[in-house]
Amino acid sequence: RNSYKAIKMAMQAARKANVRLPPEVNRILYVRNLPYKITAEEMYDIFGKYGAIRQIRMGNTPETKGTAYVVYEDIFDAKNACDHLSGFNVCNRYLVVLYYQPNRAFKKVDQKKKEEELSKLKAKYGVGGDAARTEAAK
């Protein structure tokens, strides 16, 4: 019995090793359009069917209510859940399940930082416009 299970696990691992996933596939799923009254237990019931879950973080502020991050132990389980649960109906709401993209979440913050750094460099080296020249002259 144990050897059968070991062989089955080895075959699954070999199958997964040959699969090349798209770069956006991630262990972390971002879920939108959740019913406000959904419980953590219900979330584990829905998402746990696709594999072991490390954690679920549900939005609790007015801006983040109805959203959640679901972190799977295995990237293939996350892919399976994303493929099957996107558009899933929960309390007459259709779930939007996406892969978490950290670069998208912080893009606005990074853009402001980059603009500030650029204006400082322009001022330092006296490049680009009158404001930079007057700043450099000081």
Side-chain angles (χ1 to χ4, degrees), residues 36-102:
Y36 285 178
K37 64 180 192 266
I38 197 165
T39 65
E41 190 179 340
E42 290 169 327
M43 289 287 290
Y44 276 96
D45 285 347
I46 294 167
F47 287 88
K49 288 184 173 114
Y50 296 94
I53 293 174
R54 184 167 289 182
Q55 70 172 292
I56 293 179
R57 293 292 186 116
M58 295 173 62
N60 54 8
T61 67
E63 296 84 31
T64 61
K65 219 164 177 56
T67 66
Y69 291 98
V70 180
V71 184
Y72 280 91
E73 294 287 345
D74 184 68
I75 193 167
F76 290 91
D77 294 340
K79 183 183 184 319
N80 198 14
C82 188
D83 292 346
H84 288 89
L85 290 175
S86 206
F88 185 73
N89 192 330
V90 178
C91 300
N92 293 323
R93 299 181 73 89
Y94 294 98
L95 297 186
V96 177
V97 183
L98 306 164
Y99 296 108
Y100 171 64
Q101 295 176 323

Side-chain angles (χ1 to χ4, degrees), residues 24-39:
E24 73 273 5
V25 175
N26 196 319
R27 285 185 323 117
I28 306 169
L29 300 180
Y30 174 58
V31 186
R32 292 194 332 229
N33 207 32
L34 285 163
Y36 285 178
K37 64 180 192 266
I38 197 165
T39 65

